Amino acid sequence: RTKSAYQAALPTQLMRYLSEQLGATHECYASPLNHTLPSYCSMFPGPDCHFGSVGNFYSWRDPAEGVYECNPPFDNASVAMCFNKIHALLCGHRAGPLAFLVVIPKMDFDGDGARADVGKELDLAARKLWKPFLRRRFEVQKDEHVYRMGLQHRRQEDGAHWRPTKVSQIFWFANDAGAAKYVITDDMQREMVARFDY
């Protein structure tokens, strides 16, 4: 049974840690039902604006500064659009400290269903485009983390979380000011991995 369309979100305890320790203030991909932080973007800004959404991430105003959490839909097109948007924002924003934490799974398929090593494609893109902004990257093993389901509007017989069958990757992007102000240490990385589970 696939979970890819369930608006997977990070566990609440991890989101709270990002807020308390890194100062994360905004979720770039969320919904009125699954957001944790008070400020968020959503895919349907029309109806969602009545519930606090500030709009779609791709058309949203440029952020002034701060830490933003990005957990895009788990398909190649969405991940590529997310990375390109962040790259454009960091390239065009040099004044205040700006950082993005991106969480995606290791994917082994492309938009047409053909097999491909997307992990290597993202590695190549990171080296060519995002290398100046990539401050840290690490993985969380498939048996060490869970995601929250985005089905809060339906009764859940198997709980509100699901354990993915793939490794997840965490990317930490920041401009120079952001890298100086917002630092993920080795201890913080270990704590983040721990809070990515029940």
Side-chain angles (χ1 to χ4, degrees):
R1 183 172 65 171
T2 180
K3 308 288 188 181
S4 60
Y6 284 6
Q7 296 183 332
L10 302 187
T12 302
Q13 61 269 20
L14 176 55
M15 290 298 300
R16 287 176 178 161
Y17 184 80
L18 298 177
S19 175
E20 294 167 359
Q21 298 299 317
L22 285 173
T25 58
H26 182 89
E27 296 175 65
C28 297
Y29 298 86
S31 77
L33 296 176
N34 73 357
H35 72 95
T36 301
L37 302 178
S39 178
Y40 68 97
C41 289
S42 66
M43 294 301 293
F44 305 103
D48 291 352
C49 71
H50 300 290
F51 302 97
S53 171
V54 299
N56 188 298
F57 177 53
Y58 305 116
S59 58
W60 186 46
R61 61 170 178 78
D62 291 354
E65 61 180 50
V67 174
Y68 297 80
E69 183 270 341
C70 297
N71 183 34
F74 296 163
D75 63 85
N76 290 14
S78 296
V79 169
M81 288 175 65
C82 173
F83 275 46
N84 288 333
K85 173 70 172 181
I86 290 172
H87 177 251
L89 289 173
L90 290 172
C91 280
H93 185 91
R94 302 286 181 177
L98 185 61
F100 294 87
L101 184 114
V102 182
V103 181
I104 59 171
K106 270 196 168 179
M107 298 178 290
D108 57 3
F109 57 89
D110 65 19
D112 298 323
R115 305 295 291 186
D117 193 338
V118 178
K120 287 185 179 179
E121 291 177 12
L122 290 175
D123 283 343
L124 182 61
R127 287 196 299 270
K128 288 187 174 180
L129 295 177
W130 299 292
K131 186 176 180 180
F133 305 113
L134 182 59
R135 310 299 177 169
R136 183 176 283 252
R137 175 183 176 181
F138 56 97
E139 297 182 347
V140 186
Q141 298 307 306
K142 62 183 180 180
D143 58 346
E144 294 180 349
H145 68 300
V146 297
Y147 287 96
R148 278 191 302 129
M149 290 185 186
L151 299 175
Q152 290 83 352
H153 58 291
R154 288 168 39 182
R155 182 175 179 179
Q156 299 299 306
E157 296 180 0
D158 55 353
H161 296 85
W162 60 277
R163 192 171 295 280
T165 59
K166 299 179 183 295
V167 170
S168 287
Q169 304 173 91
I170 298 179
F171 295 81
W172 180 236
F173 297 106
N175 61 7
D176 290 341
K181 182 174 182 178
Y182 311 113
V183 179
I184 296 180
T185 65
D186 291 342
D187 287 342
M188 290 174 67
Q189 176 176 317
R190 284 189 286 270
E191 187 65 24
M192 288 167 63
V193 171
R195 289 174 184 252
F196 209 153
D197 211 331
Y198 292 115

